[in-house]
Amino acid sequence: MKARVHVTLKPGVLDPQGKAIAHALQALGFDGVNEARQGKVIELDLADDVAGDPEAVRARVDDMCRKLLANTVIETYRIDLDA
Amino acid sequence: MKARVHVTLKPGVLDPQGKAIAHALQALGFDGVNEARQGKVIELDLADDVAGDPEAVRARVDDMCRKLLANTVIETYRIDLDA
Amino acid sequence: MTEITPEIVAEHGLSPDEYDRVLEILGREPNLTELGIFSVMWSEHCSYKSSKKWLKTLPTSAPWVIQGPGENAGVVDIGDGLTAVFKMESHNHPSFIEPYQGAATGVGGILRDVFTMGARPVANLNALRFGAPDHPKTRHLISGVVAGIGGYGNCVGVPTVGGEVNFHPDYNGNILVNAMTVGIAPADRIFYSKASGVGNPVVYVGSKTGRDGIHGATMASAEFTAESEEKRPTVQVGDPFTEKLLIEACQELMATDAIVAIQDMGAAGLTSSSFEMASKGGLGVALALDRVPMREAGMTPYELMLSESQERMLMVLEPGKEPLAEAIFRKWDLDFAVIGHLTDTGRMVLTWHGDTVADLPIDPLAEAAPEYDRPWTPTPTQAVVDAAVVPEVPWTEALPTLMGSPDLASRRWIWEQYDHMVMGDTVQRPGGDAAVVRIHGTDRGLAMTTDCTPRYVRADPVMGGRQAVAEAWRNLTAVGARPLAVTDNMNFGNPEKPEIMGQFVGACQGLAEACRVLDFPVVSGNVSLYNETEGRAIPPTPTIGGVGVIASLDRMATVAFKAPGEAILVVGETTVPREGGGWLGQSLYLRELCNREVGAPPPVDLEHERAVGDAVRDLIEAGRVSACHDVSDGGLLVAVSEMALAGDLGATLEGLAETPAALFGEDQGRYVVTVPADQVEAVLADLGPLARRIGTTGGAGAAATITLGDASVPLSALREAHEGWLPGVMGA
Amino acid sequence: MKSAVIVFPGSNCDRDVAVSLERTTGHAPLMHWHGDSALPEDLDLIVIPGGFSYGDYLRCGAMAARAAVMPAVRRAADRSVAVLGICNGFQVLCETGLLPGALMRNRDLRFLCKDVYLRVETTDTIFTSHYGPGQVIRIPIAHHDGNYVADLPTQCMLEDEDRVVFRYCDAGGKTTDEANPNGSLDNIAGILSEERNVLGLMPHPERLADPRLGGTDGQPLFASLLEALS
Ligand SMILES: Nc1ncnc2c1ncn2[C@@H]1O[C@H](COP(=O)(O)OP(=O)(O)O)[C@@H](O)[C@H]1O
Ligand SMILES: [Mg+2]
């Protein structure tokens, strides 16, 4: 089973990378990019014995996010589960 | 209109960050993570005059990916458009 | 309009008395924006209300001091028309909450303090204190803080060349991150923050303002609780790339004569920068806040005045120079906006799309800020530890243990994450006594170090304060530099507790005494109070950053043994208090091998310190010593071992009593030097009773040992202990 | 020898390499701003220096590779002008496609600044003729993303065409895994273009080319260029 965790900066938190990307796109002649924000996706491949009940898996991945994958001071996260 | 670009390492390219994540999860007592891979998501907020025909927008974002957002030597990308 | 209730006043960290003073100054109730401004201006962080009385007692002048405390950074003359500009600042609370960004923005902030004055930053240092190595949070904090310091400094392209690290359980809930920057500026082009010229434009440059760290300054002034950790206030995110552009743009503008005054936006951002500039110039200022470049929609005047967004500066320009300045900042892709002008009203008037949203008198607010004479009690004197009753662990066992102990183990794992060579002038990299950076294009050097031994300060704040200054002076001397001046970063607990205030008062006294005797004035500094968690204070930590100058890099000393067969001398041993004894109170021997952190710390005899240091420096300047290292943590045998490791050469020692006191006592004012064999007699004759020979260098590679009497320890075992500890803790 | 150093916003070893060039050649190189798309025609050497161009945001070197000056650099390279990319410059050259492969995050994920040993794999280049074949030299690295990757055909091609110029090794010249500071494929530290006029390398030869800084093993690289290009 695969879980995909999207980690993004909280709204309002400065995103220097995003800012630079928007700027670079503009310099390359791509007009009309109002804003760019950069986040991470972490794809986890979970062993079958761990998988099973999606709610349990979700709770487990949520725990991973809070403990390691996201820095909740400045980031938020979203979990997608793949069958 | 928002476009979301997912940039991930090509299969077969070693992912030191993903490896470290899998390792750290295990050290935290999360068993059963076979593999972790880390990618980027770049969220673009496109001006309304640019938006419009989804196919044109997609072509445009694809162009951005090839010109800047992804390094196709080691990365692949996927584009999602939000209405 | 928001009604100002006592709750709102309290949330802004103002006491009822202080609020009464607000009412008195205004003659009316403040609105929320005004209250916010009072609150940050009168926070401990900006007003120094608890510490000012004592900071005034520090010596701050010398013929070579060009600018002492009171500006963004201190300035000292280093000859040839150049100056060194430096300061140290803490970012303790933010680094505990978000180690990477907290530490990174700490570096960014101190860099701005220095380049605001017209200097090009040439080096960074960092003084770090973490909790117990085995505390569950420590690893995460170390890796985040180190990555953050490196991430910022490396990207900006300023080498991080030195620092120090201590571990103690009393930092478990409150780590210290003190960052120092040293810059070089031409003596005739120093920029100050004093505004002048009614009508002159006030200009905002750098990054846009967002809702970053609103109330950061008031937070940094309040004690930490588990609850405040939960609240997770918005932490500022650093953008080192923008900082690099800002440095280059400022340098470019500073080469013209467009700038009247300049001030970075640090804690309390736009509020304190505009207040300080106007207040120093005795002027007023009118700002149209709607012109401030904003990152987010819907920002309010309150937020704009309190935001701590990074990488921003405020300047007063010569009239008519706006287009010139704007062109430079645009070239570097930075925001530029004329947001107001200076007035003769002595007031700060803020408008928002034409409406006045705040109108405050500047002087009463900036200068009549509260100043407290807080009650204090002196720290009780500790008994002197009798060396005779200290358990004796054989030195062959004690030495490897000490070399691999948390406070003595190598910090290589840390400094290898810092680019310590960029700019191409790092002549002494981390690992020695002081880092040395060549003054670009010359053959002279700036030496720099940070020092403090918190366990000494806790046991005896006066002596510990002296020791911190003396050790910094000694580390500069040990590379052959002439010490010039210091910056201090006073990290203490809650000053409302008399015993904590007593530590502060004692440390200031010790600092002042040492600075005076050593001719080593304080030119800048920073105070961080309320470093407590759940009522438990950190060990008092007055970190000293010292800077000195080396007249010729050909006459510089390093710690490494250079060749076999050279004489090893100890210089300055006359302070040993008792026959055959050494000072074990508060020593690492006592802590690491006897598990006791007790006793009075080693006394610092300042006259002796000076005499010994001057003699050692004379030897170095005359090219008569081949290596030099001061004796500090861990004592004599540790100092010798560090020299052996650096040179990959062993040592055979003689004439030393095999007692913990003689080998590991931490008596102050001592150096170990090596001298080529044919010159020993002459050097010993010149130094007289100040020096004695304790051994000979020798044995290379696998055969190298530290030998004393019949016993020896392989250098390889010491290296393993020394280099292995930190990577072991960090799991890599 | 007429040389230019390209300066991007965020470059920070531009001055360092200029100092080395000036020490070698006796005159200062041209410092060329990234936004200026026209390079002088008579250059012998273009240096893309180390640093954090555009903050290394998105990917190291990615934005610099798309800067206005880069088409001119490419044209110069096509005309056989020597191009030297150091550290961030190597990343930029890979991102432009002037050199094959890519540089990823270091194996241990940490920024690393320290001296490493390199083995000179070929002296048949304008950059390394002053070294001996197989010579072991000591030069600092300072990077977060120096982990060289390339696919198998590329790897074979580099090998077959003698285009690997430096490999990380131990003091004795052995290319062991422990001596590999960042996880690079085959311990690769620097490679050449097909025409052998473009060199990219992660270590910083300009940082140990002055006895005052503790070593001079970087100096022969500049001396080789001087000899080849004047
Ligand atoms: N955080 C750090 N960053 C960079 N260098 C450090 C750091 N901590 C320690 N060092 C370096 O390690 C060496 C030993 O530090 P320390 O034991 O504090 O020296 P000393 O006893 O001479 O004051 C010094 O060269 C110092 O600059
Ligand atoms: Mg020392």
Side-chain angles (χ1 to χ4, degrees):
Chain A
M1 181 170 197
K2 283 215 197 297
R4 209 173 294 115
V5 178
H6 296 251
V7 183
T8 44
L9 285 171
K10 285 183 181 169
V13 173
L14 175 69
D15 178 7
Q17 307 239 21
K19 204 174 97 184
I21 291 170
H23 195 81
L25 285 173
Q26 195 177 23
L28 284 174
F30 292 107
D31 295 330
V33 178
N34 291 334
E35 205 195 347
R37 294 191 61 88
Q38 179 172 323
K40 285 188 284 221
V41 209
I42 297 154
E43 235 177 71
L44 301 171
D45 181 23
L46 302 172
D48 287 342
D49 56 329
V50 174
D53 171 24
E55 276 324 294
V57 174
R58 184 176 293 277
R60 199 176 160 75
V61 175
D62 192 78
D63 202 24
M64 295 179 191
C65 288
R66 276 178 295 104
K67 292 214 174 106
L68 181 77
L69 304 179
N71 172 354
T72 53
V73 179
I74 49 175
E75 295 171 333
T76 53
Y77 58 89
R78 202 187 74 224
I79 300 169
D80 286 348
L81 296 183
D82 262 26
Chain B
M1 181 170 199
K2 284 214 196 299
R4 212 173 290 116
V5 177
H6 297 253
V7 182
T8 44
L9 286 172
K10 284 183 178 169
V13 175
L14 207 76
D15 174 11
Q17 271 149 322
K19 225 173 92 185
I21 290 172
H23 190 80
L25 284 173
Q26 195 176 22
L28 284 173
F30 292 106
D31 297 330
V33 178
N34 291 335
E35 203 198 348
R37 290 184 71 81
Q38 180 172 324
K40 283 185 276 224
V41 207
I42 298 155
E43 232 178 74
L44 302 171
D45 181 24
L46 302 172
D48 286 342
D49 56 330
V50 175
D53 171 24
E55 276 324 293
V57 174
R58 183 175 295 276
R60 199 176 159 78
V61 175
D62 192 77
D63 201 23
M64 294 180 193
C65 288
R66 277 177 295 105
K67 290 216 175 107
L68 179 73
L69 302 179
N71 176 351
T72 52
V73 175
I74 47 171
E75 294 171 332
T76 54
Y77 58 88
R78 201 186 75 225
I79 299 168
D80 285 348
L81 295 184
D82 263 25
Chain C
M1 211 171 86
T2 317
E3 198 199 331
I4 305 299
T5 62
E7 290 72 39
I8 291 183
V9 171
E11 267 173 35
H12 282 77
L14 289 172
S15 70
D17 281 354
E18 288 168 350
Y19 187 63
D20 285 344
R21 194 162 339 169
V22 171
L23 296 177
E24 199 179 303
I25 287 172
L26 286 185
R28 60 174 167 83
E29 275 204 1
N31 62 33
L32 190 62
T33 303
E34 292 168 334
L35 183 74
I37 292 172
F38 272 99
S39 110
V40 293
M41 288 303 293
W42 287 3
S43 69
E44 190 65 58
H45 194 88
C46 292
S47 73
Y48 291 86
K49 58 192 170 193
S50 302
S51 57
K52 210 187 261 171
K53 171 177 158 77
W54 301 100
L55 294 178
K56 285 182 194 153
T57 64
L58 300 173
T60 58
S61 58
W64 52 88
V65 172
I66 293 174
Q67 174 66 54
E71 270 289 341
N72 285 302
V75 183
V76 298
D77 190 347
I78 55 170
D80 290 352
L82 296 176
T83 66
V85 179
F86 59 96
K87 183 168 188 263
M88 192 187 314
E89 198 161 68
S90 64
H91 231 209
N92 303 335
H93 287 102
S95 302
F96 185 75
I97 297 169
E98 210 308 278
Y100 185 97
Q101 295 296 346
T105 51
V107 174
I110 193 63
L111 279 164
R112 281 193 297 285
D113 273 331
V114 167
F115 73 77
T116 303
M117 303 219 43
R120 178 168 282 279
V122 298
N124 284 326
L125 296 94
N126 58 109
L128 311 176
R129 321 280 161 186
F130 295 107
D134 56 3
H135 184 272
K137 276 206 145 134
T138 300
R139 238 182 79 166
H140 162 74
L141 290 168
I142 298 173
S143 77
V145 164
V146 170
I149 291 171
Y152 207 98
N154 299 348
C155 181
V156 165
V158 175
T160 302
V161 297
E164 61 181 333
V165 187
N166 287 141
F167 297 90
H168 196 286
D170 290 343
Y171 296 109
N172 278 350
N174 199 315
I175 61 170
L176 301 183
V177 174
N178 295 174
M180 171 171 168
T181 295
V182 182
I184 294 179
D188 57 358
R189 292 204 82 79
I190 312 261
F191 291 82
Y192 297 99
S193 57
K194 179 179 164 191
S196 69
V198 170
N200 279 351
V202 175
V203 169
Y204 170 116
V205 299
S207 278
K208 294 187 191 336
T209 298
R211 293 191 175 94
D212 310 280
I214 289 178
H215 271 164
T218 34
M219 181 184 82
S221 307
E223 206 176 301
F224 237 34
T225 61
E227 189 189 322
S228 66
E229 197 184 341
E230 263 321 294
K231 266 200 214 155
R232 308 218 144 171
T234 50
V235 176
Q236 304 99 300
V237 169
D239 181 357
F241 172 56
T242 296
E243 180 103 334
K244 165 74 174 164
L245 302 183
L246 197 53
I247 295 178
E248 299 305 332
C250 284
Q251 289 267 313
E252 202 171 317
L253 182 61
M254 284 165 169
T256 72
D257 44 13
I259 300 176
V260 174
I262 179 166
Q263 166 78 41
D264 69 297
M265 292 190 222
L270 193 51
T271 295
S272 80
S273 54
S274 54
F275 255 98
E276 271 169 38
M277 287 174 92
S279 158
K280 283 182 180 154
L283 293 174
V285 61
L287 300 179
L289 292 179
D290 44 287
R291 293 196 211 150
V292 171
M294 285 170 249
R295 200 171 77 222
E296 290 176 65
M299 291 194 67
T300 64
Y302 176 89
E303 289 170 328
L304 289 167
M305 290 307 285
L306 267 52
S307 162
E308 294 193 348
S309 290
Q310 303 288 296
E311 293 94 20
R312 303 179 300 161
M313 298 274 213
L314 201 63
M315 309 185 297
V316 176
L317 293 183
E318 292 288 352
K321 297 289 184 184
E322 298 93 321
L324 166 83
E326 177 161 10
I328 291 174
F329 283 88
R330 296 278 178 231
K331 169 187 158 196
W332 290 100
D333 277 330
L334 294 162
D335 270 289
F336 174 99
V338 178
I339 62 167
H341 61 275
L342 298 175
T343 66
D344 58 5
T345 61
R347 300 185 74 84
M348 166 178 274
V349 178
L350 306 178
T351 57
W352 181 249
H353 298 291
D355 297 334
T356 298
V357 291
D359 184 349
L360 302 165
I362 288 177
D363 270 355
L365 216 155
E367 275 172 0
E371 185 177 331
Y372 297 126
D373 183 1
R374 299 212 186 265
W376 60 280
T377 50
T379 304
T381 311
Q382 304 267 321
V384 174
V385 171
D386 179 1
V389 307
V390 173
E392 281 200 29
V393 178
W395 74 267
T396 48
E397 209 175 292
L399 182 58
T401 304
L402 281 170
M403 292 299 287
S405 67
D407 278 355
L408 279 178
S410 167
R411 275 66 175 115
R412 183 184 306 277
W413 186 90
I414 292 175
W415 79 62
E416 281 186 350
Q417 293 184 61
Y418 301 152
D419 188 337
H420 47 264
M421 294 181 236
V422 61
M423 297 186 87
D425 284 312
T426 306
V427 174
Q428 277 205 43
R429 303 182 191 178
D433 282 321
V436 178
V437 172
R438 177 171 56 190
I439 299 169
H440 192 68
T442 75
D443 200 38
R444 304 189 310 125
L446 279 185
M448 49 199 91
T449 179
T450 73
D451 291 283
C452 178
T453 313
R455 61 182 191 279
Y456 294 173
V457 188
R458 174 138 78 187
D460 180 344
V462 178
M463 212 42 97
R466 278 191 189 186
Q467 196 274 344
V469 174
E471 187 173 347
W473 190 85
R474 210 181 296 148
N475 276 322
L476 298 176
T477 299
V479 299
R482 186 165 73 84
L484 291 174
V486 306
T487 179
D488 65 81
N489 199 152
M490 310 292 277
N491 307 274
F492 289 78
N494 180 350
E496 293 160 40
K497 297 180 184 168
E499 65 279 11
I500 300 288
M501 200 59 212
Q503 292 176 336
F504 186 82
V505 172
C508 285
Q509 184 193 328
L511 250 56
E513 290 167 357
C515 291
R516 214 164 267 127
V517 176
L518 300 173
D519 258 334
F520 201 29
V522 175
V523 295
S524 58
N526 173 247
V527 177
S528 169
L529 300 174
Y530 297 95
N531 288 290
E532 302 206 349
T533 318
E534 331 264 65
R536 194 161 166 76
I538 57 155
T541 313
T543 312
I544 299 298
V547 173
V549 67
I550 298 181
S552 162
L553 291 173
D554 282 328
R555 292 281 192 258
M556 173 184 86
T558 63
V559 300
F561 283 160
K562 300 298 179 310
E566 295 196 332
I568 306 172
L569 272 45
V570 57
V571 189
E573 229 179 23
T574 49
T575 48
V576 174
R578 287 172 311 284
E579 200 56 35
W583 197 277
L584 285 176
Q586 296 299 336
S587 65
L588 287 182
Y589 177 89
L590 210 54
R591 188 172 92 190
E592 299 299 325
L593 291 139
C594 313
N595 214 0
R596 291 166 65 208
E597 196 174 316
V598 295
V604 179
D605 174 342
L606 294 165
E607 301 295 342
H608 173 263
E609 183 79 48
R610 170 134 202 181
V612 176
D614 287 348
V616 167
R617 191 177 321 102
D618 285 348
L619 287 179
I620 297 171
E621 283 178 349
R624 299 177 73 191
V625 300
S626 47
C628 180
H629 187 23
D630 71 306
V631 180
S632 57
D633 277 346
L636 191 56
L637 210 49
V638 165
V640 169
S641 303
E642 288 169 343
M643 298 174 83
L645 287 175
D648 210 6
L649 280 172
T652 302
L653 303 174
E654 65 221 9
L656 292 175
E658 287 188 35
T659 63
L663 300 179
F664 303 114
E666 296 183 3
D667 309 72
Q668 298 293 298
R670 297 185 295 168
Y671 300 78
V672 176
V673 300
T674 56
V675 176
D678 55 347
Q679 288 158 48
V680 198
E681 292 314 320
V683 168
L684 282 174
D686 287 351
L687 290 176
L690 274 188
R692 81 184 158 110
R693 178 168 183 167
I694 58 165
T696 309
T697 61
T705 61
I706 302 289
T707 299
L708 170 61
D710 301 335
S712 64
V713 176
L715 205 54
S716 58
L718 294 180
R719 190 180 304 283
E720 202 179 298
H722 191 58
E723 294 293 347
W725 182 80
L726 189 51
V729 168
M730 299 309 296
Chain D
M1 174 171 98
K2 192 164 174 209
S3 48
V5 176
I6 312 287
V7 183
F8 297 103
S11 292
N12 60 34
C13 305
D14 43 338
R15 188 185 78 180
D16 305 3
V17 74
V19 166
S20 289
L21 287 168
E22 184 166 358
R23 191 182 299 109
T24 310
T25 63
H27 51 88
L30 170 74
M31 303 307 277
H32 186 93
W33 184 241
H34 68 104
D36 180 352
S37 59
L39 276 172
E41 289 293 318
D42 58 345
L43 290 175
D44 301 302
L45 170 69
I46 298 169
V47 180
I48 307 191
F52 286 70
S53 57
Y54 299 89
D56 273 358
Y57 296 153
L58 186 62
R59 287 184 315 278
C60 301
M63 298 192 200
R66 279 81 185 167
V69 71
M70 288 314 289
V73 172
R74 177 184 289 278
R75 285 193 300 274
D78 289 346
R79 286 198 318 272
S80 302
V81 173
V83 178
L84 169 63
I86 301 171
C87 196
N88 196 223
F90 186 13
Q91 295 162 340
V92 172
L93 291 174
C94 287
E95 280 280 343
T96 53
L98 278 167
L99 292 173
L103 292 147
M104 294 182 50
R105 188 57 29 126
N106 291 349
R107 178 177 50 194
D108 295 332
L109 307 183
R110 291 193 302 272
F111 185 96
L112 261 188
C113 175
K114 63 174 192 175
D115 288 355
V116 297
Y117 290 106
L118 301 178
R119 196 172 66 197
V120 181
E121 301 290 85
T122 173
T123 53
D124 177 22
T125 81
I126 53 172
F127 304 92
T128 55
S129 61
H130 280 227
Y131 293 107
Q135 186 181 339
V136 175
I137 60 176
R138 180 174 58 93
I139 286 191
I141 54 167
H143 61 246
H144 211 159
D145 300 77
N147 182 352
Y148 183 74
V149 294
D151 56 15
L152 190 61
T154 306
Q155 186 186 354
C156 296
M157 173 184 76
L158 290 173
E159 196 61 51
D160 293 348
E161 297 175 2
D162 189 30
R163 286 166 56 187
V164 176
V165 183
F166 299 107
R167 282 202 163 85
Y168 301 107
C169 65
D170 62 18
K174 283 204 267 313
T175 54
T176 61
D177 199 40
E178 296 82 73
N180 186 341
N182 51 28
S184 287
L185 175 75
D186 250 357
N187 286 44
I188 288 175
I191 55 168
L192 283 176
S193 63
E194 193 177 349
E195 301 301 326
R196 305 183 85 74
N197 63 317
V198 180
L199 169 67
L201 78 168
M202 287 314 295
H204 286 270
E206 80 281 15
R207 290 191 180 188
L208 274 188
D210 173 355
R212 201 46 106 200
L213 302 179
T216 53
D217 283 359
Q219 183 56 27
L221 186 140
F222 297 101
S224 304
L225 283 168
L226 179 66
E227 187 188 58
L229 303 178
S230 9

